[in-house]
């Protein structure tokens, strides 16, 4: 007689009861872990669940149709490529190999199921763009059709099927303070499956968008950033985050790692809490500055999930105005080609705007204030529909995170109805954030000989000054593409006019009720 294992104690995946014959044999089906925007093994519930359930296949699917989308680009893929190589090493240390498949997700699942049989599919919940939302629905249907359970786990403070925002913050705190999930030391692998090569960006991406200072991906690179931030750079976070002269080193630069999940947001939050505790205990030098900075940093980790929650609850925010009264205020047909091209190429004639855009093009990253100003300039001064400008910015951001991105894009365009219209004056921003013109001169060499008082308004130079400083406006550097004062006044009037329309207040209240932070921040 075969001794029957006690399932309560023995989680061994090797034996499965096979009905009619009444014997226990090895379960031939695989537990598939689908890695998405969670490219790590630590604090990874789906991997740990799968390991407890059976033989594991670690899967990453490169979906060519995704990489044809206008909000994707080669710089994002290059980062992911690094992450996949790093994930492969992490998995090998646990006894697993990483299976890469290139193709449509449902077709890949069908092929794997036919090749070897899938018992359960494990992944994190994803709040992506409309394309990944639809893809996940197709996967769900496929799983239901095949009788395969798809276990999706939370990986951040975002709650699927959220009914009310009332206790959202409390639930965020509760999730972030839970113990991190440590994977087992060794995981039983499923039989090796053929794996595809990781494609190069030129084989995959429509938008090549070369990046001169590409941010390295992978967990070791993420850790290095986290450590250098918490142990050194972070002290000046609060003071340094607004100016692009300081933000590149004062900000954590963790966004891309959080977007692709090489670090879990919970481990980042807990590491920062640990650092706060140490600072308080040690009475360190610059303690006050440190504590303010880390408090500000932790708020932003909170915002990270707060914004993604909005897209989770309202996926249409990627394509539709959040507040319906703003529908139609900006044309949905293609914007003026010369305006959008000048903006995206850093040739508007406004030095601080152009310097920020050129820096972003080169680095794949720019700080929050610069992002807000760039978006606001396109939406207000150029009166371009945010869909056009938002897609172009998404391509440029290595850290593209749809939930944060589309909500911020709408916020900086005045279409949420719940935020005051923030129209950045490009000259004032330049003077405030780059008073000596250092940043402008670095990114716009055409202006490098201009004195400080002219650097943010080079169009004020006389013909003589232009000659003297080696920059003829309209020839070496563009004439401003709009009158920024007049454009801002007109935009403000149009945006505020909408507030007077019937139903505006009711729609605003409904948005606040569904999506508003209960802390008075939205
Ligand atoms: C128009 C626009 C588009 C944006 N698009 C994105 C995007 O696609 N991906 C993205 O990660 N961020 C986006 N942001 C938010 C913000 O600019 C970046 O998160 C931040 O600059 C990233 O740098 P960091 O990692 O050094 O951030 P830090 O300042 O060090 O903050 C730590 C983390 O908190 C989160 N965070 C910071 N600021 C915000 C914010 N305002 N809202 C929500 N979360 C925040 C990020 O995850 C960030 O990594 C956008 C902002 C604007 C105005």
């Amino acid at each position: 007689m075969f001794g029957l294992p006690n399932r309560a104690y023995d989680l061994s995946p090797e034996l499965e009861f096979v009905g009619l014959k009444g014997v226990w044999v090895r379960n031939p089906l695989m537990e598939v872990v689908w890695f998405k925007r969670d490219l790590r093994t630590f604090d990874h519930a789906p991997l740990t669940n799968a390991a407890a359930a059976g033989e594991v296949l670690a899967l990453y699917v490169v979906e060519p149709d995704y990489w044809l989308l206008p909000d994707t680009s080669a710089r994002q893929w290059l980062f992911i490529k690094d992450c996949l190589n790093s994930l492969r090493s992490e998995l090998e240390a646990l006894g697993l190999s990483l299976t890469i498949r290139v193709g449509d997700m449902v077709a890949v699942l069908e092929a794997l199921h036919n090749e070897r049989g899938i018992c359960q599919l494990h992944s994190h919940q994803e709040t992506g763009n409309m394309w990944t939302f639809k893809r996940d629905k197709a996967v769900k249907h496929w799983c239901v059709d095949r009788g395969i359970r798809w276990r999706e786990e939370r990986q951040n403070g975002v709650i699927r099927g959220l009914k009310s925002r009332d206790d959202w913050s409390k639930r965020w705190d509760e999730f972030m303070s839970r113990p991190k999930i440590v994977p087992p030391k060794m995981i039983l692998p499923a039989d090796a499956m053929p794996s595809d090569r990781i494609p190069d960006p030129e084989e995959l991406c429509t938008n090549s968008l070369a990046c001169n200072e590409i941010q390295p991906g992978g967990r070791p690179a993420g850790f290095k950033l986290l450590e250098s931030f918490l142990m050194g750079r972070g002290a000046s976070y609060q003071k340094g985050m607004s100016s692009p002269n300081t933000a590149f080193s004062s900000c954590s630069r963790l966004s891309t790692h959080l977007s692709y999940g090489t670090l879990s947001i919970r481990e980042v939050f807990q590491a920062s809490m640990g650092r706060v505790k140490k600072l308080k205990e040690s009475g360190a030098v610059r303690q006050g500055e440190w504590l303010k900075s880390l408090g500000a940093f932790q708020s932003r980790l909170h915002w990270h999930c707060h914004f993604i929650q909005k897209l989770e609850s309202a996926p249409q925010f990627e394509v539709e105005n959040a507040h319906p009264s703003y529908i139609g205020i900006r044309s949905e047909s293609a914007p003026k080609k010369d305006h959008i091209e000048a903006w995206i190429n850093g040739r508007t004639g406004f030095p601080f705007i152009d310097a920020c855009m050129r820096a972003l093009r080169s680095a794949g990253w720019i700080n929050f204030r610069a992002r807000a100003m760039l978006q606001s300039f396109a939406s207000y001064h150029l009166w371009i529909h945010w869909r056009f400008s938002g897609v172009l910015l998404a391509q440029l951001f290595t850290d593209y995170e749809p939930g944060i991105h589309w909500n911020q894009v709408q916020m900086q365009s005045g279409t949420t109805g719940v935020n005051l219209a923030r129209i950045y004056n490009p000259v004032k921003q330049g003077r405030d954030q780059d008073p000596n013109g250092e940043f402008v001169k670095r990114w716009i060499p055409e202006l490098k000989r201009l004195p400080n008082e002219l650097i943010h308004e080079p169009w004020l130079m006389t013909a003589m000054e232009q000659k003297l400083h080696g920059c003829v406006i309209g020839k070496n550097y563009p004439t401003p593409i709009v009158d920024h004062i007049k454009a801002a006044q007109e935009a403000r009037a149009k945006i505020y006019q909408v507030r007077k329309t019937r139903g505006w207040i009711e729609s605003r209240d409904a948005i606040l009720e569904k999506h508003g932070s209960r802390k008075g921040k939205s």
Side-chain angles (χ1 to χ4, degrees):
M1 279 295 286
F2 291 99
L4 296 184
N6 179 346
R7 299 302 274 174
Y9 298 105
D10 182 0
L11 286 176
S12 162
E14 307 223 326
L15 297 172
E16 189 74 20
F17 190 69
V18 177
L20 284 176
K21 290 183 192 156
V23 291
W24 289 86
V25 295
R26 184 171 167 267
N27 179 3
L29 303 180
M30 308 177 287
E31 299 291 328
V32 173
V33 181
W34 176 19
F35 286 91
K36 303 169 98 184
R37 292 172 80 104
D38 52 357
L39 303 175
R40 62 177 187 279
T41 56
F42 186 75
D43 205 19
H44 196 290
L47 179 65
T48 308
N49 292 341
E55 294 180 4
V56 175
L57 182 86
L59 174 71
Y60 184 84
V61 181
V62 182
E63 299 164 280
D65 285 355
Y66 174 80
W67 294 101
L68 297 176
L69 298 175
D71 47 347
T72 65
S73 64
R75 55 186 64 191
Q76 297 157 6
W77 175 245
L78 277 169
F79 185 88
I80 293 175
K81 232 182 135 193
D82 278 355
C83 298
L84 292 175
N85 287 322
S86 149
L87 177 65
R88 179 172 274 152
S89 312
E90 281 181 55
L91 287 165
E92 278 166 6
L94 302 174
L96 297 178
S97 52
L98 177 64
T99 301
I100 306 272
R101 290 281 168 107
V102 179
D104 166 72
M105 183 60 197
V106 169
V108 167
L109 286 173
E110 180 70 14
L112 288 173
H113 194 47
N114 290 336
E115 284 166 59
R116 172 78 166 71
I118 298 173
C119 185
Q120 297 188 91
L121 179 64
H122 303 260
S123 77
H124 275 119
Q125 292 170 352
E126 176 178 358
T127 310
N129 61 9
M130 205 53 102
W131 188 94
T132 63
F133 181 52
K134 287 186 184 149
R135 180 258 274 133
D136 280 358
K137 279 189 175 168
V139 169
K140 183 112 216 151
H141 278 130
W142 182 86
C143 288
V144 171
D145 280 355
R146 297 288 179 277
I148 290 169
R149 181 175 174 212
W150 180 11
R151 287 185 68 180
E152 287 183 279
E153 301 289 339
R154 269 174 77 187
Q155 76 159 333
N156 53 30
V158 176
I159 298 166
R160 188 150 285 180
L162 183 72
K163 296 273 179 298
S164 157
R165 271 275 183 157
D166 285 351
D167 57 353
W168 188 86
S169 272
K170 213 171 104 205
R171 292 168 78 178
W172 189 92
D173 290 340
E174 191 267 322
F175 181 86
M176 294 304 158
S177 56
R178 275 188 220 161
K180 291 164 288 192
I181 300 165
V182 182
K185 286 205 167 55
M186 287 306 281
I187 297 179
L188 199 65
D191 290 345
M193 303 288 286
S195 181
D196 294 330
R197 187 175 54 80
I198 303 179
D200 289 325
E202 45 291 1
E203 299 170 275
L204 193 64
C205 307
T206 351
N207 301 311
S208 54
L209 281 169
C211 209
N212 298 339
E213 306 156 45
I214 185 82
Q215 190 175 1
R219 195 161 162 86
F223 255 133
K224 218 166 134 190
L225 276 181
L226 179 62
E227 202 185 6
S228 66
F229 179 72
L230 291 181
M231 301 312 291
R233 296 183 294 117
S236 55
Y237 176 67
Q238 208 181 24
K239 279 192 195 145
M241 68 166 86
S242 295
S243 163
N245 282 313
T246 44
F248 278 79
S249 65
S250 298
C251 289
S252 73
R253 310 292 309 275
L254 287 168
S255 50
T256 324
H257 291 278
L258 292 172
S259 292
Y260 299 105
T262 42
L263 301 177
S264 79
I265 192 163
R266 174 161 51 199
E267 68 182 320
V268 171
F269 178 72
Q270 291 188 8
S272 73
M273 290 298 281
R275 178 74 175 128
V276 166
K277 189 164 175 267
K278 284 239 162 68
L279 283 161
K280 283 185 177 162
E281 284 163 5
S282 69
V285 228
R286 299 173 78 187
Q287 196 197 48
E289 193 184 357
W290 261 114
L291 293 180
K292 268 194 200 147
S293 282
L294 291 179
F297 174 69
Q298 288 166 358
S299 300
R300 278 153 185 84
L301 295 179
H302 198 276
W303 297 357
H304 173 105
C305 303
H306 165 76
F307 282 99
I308 300 177
Q309 181 69 59
K310 294 189 193 210
L311 197 69
E312 172 65 35
S313 303
Q316 72 276 13
F317 283 0
E318 179 190 338
V319 284
E320 282 173 18
N321 286 318
H323 189 301
S325 302
Y326 295 91
I327 294 172
I329 59 160
R330 294 184 178 96
S331 165
E332 290 188 13
S333 39
K336 269 173 88 179
K337 200 163 171 261
D338 52 344
H339 274 187
I340 196 133
E341 280 184 0
W343 174 75
I344 201 64
N345 290 309
R347 297 196 54 78
T348 64
F350 293 97
F352 194 54
I353 297 270
D354 293 344
C356 289
M357 186 60 92
R358 292 185 197 186
L360 167 62
R361 293 186 72 86
S362 173
W365 183 91
I366 192 90
N367 59 321
F368 172 81
R369 185 176 283 261
R371 292 184 197 208
M373 178 189 71
L374 290 173
Q375 182 59 55
S376 141
F377 188 81
S379 292
Y380 293 118
H381 297 87
L382 305 181
W383 205 247
I384 293 172
H385 195 292
W386 54 265
R387 269 300 297 170
F388 295 105
S389 47
V391 153
L392 294 177
L393 281 186
Q395 287 173 12
L396 291 177
F397 294 157
T398 313
D399 63 19
Y400 174 47
E401 174 68 65
I404 303 178
H405 187 71
W406 291 111
N407 284 299
Q408 280 291 349
V409 161
Q410 290 221 41
M411 237 170 108
Q412 309 305 335
S413 308
T415 53
T416 63
V418 296
N419 311 99
L420 287 177
R422 184 120 202 236
I423 305 180
Y424 291 86
N425 176 325
V427 176
K428 180 177 183 306
Q429 286 303 311
R431 288 206 190 107
D432 290 352
Q433 306 305 336
D434 187 31
N436 302 323
E438 218 179 299
F439 190 73
V440 165
K441 287 180 186 174
R442 176 167 172 217
W443 291 103
I444 312 185
E446 306 90 289
L447 301 177
K448 70 174 185 289
R449 285 167 51 194
L450 266 67
N452 286 355
E453 61 277 13
L454 287 169
I455 194 80
H456 293 296
E457 292 176 288
W459 57 88
L460 295 181
M461 283 192 290
T462 60
M464 182 75 101
E465 282 170 325
Q466 295 186 29
K467 222 170 164 190
L468 183 69
H469 304 310
C471 178
V472 177
I473 297 300
K475 184 173 163 221
N476 305 108
Y477 183 68
T479 312
I481 58 172
V482 284
D483 172 339
H484 77 98
I485 305 277
K486 195 165 157 256
Q489 277 166 352
E490 286 172 5
R492 187 169 283 109
K494 284 190 247 182
I495 281 286
Y496 280 98
Q497 190 58 31
V498 177
R499 292 181 170 234
K500 296 181 187 146
T501 54
R502 259 179 69 199
W504 185 88
I505 293 177
E506 290 77 5
S507 295
R508 182 207 54 193
D509 291 349
I511 294 167
L512 275 175
E513 176 58 27
K514 183 159 183 199
H515 302 286
S517 152
R518 300 304 192 251
K519 285 185 174 169
K521 302 169 203 155
S522 54

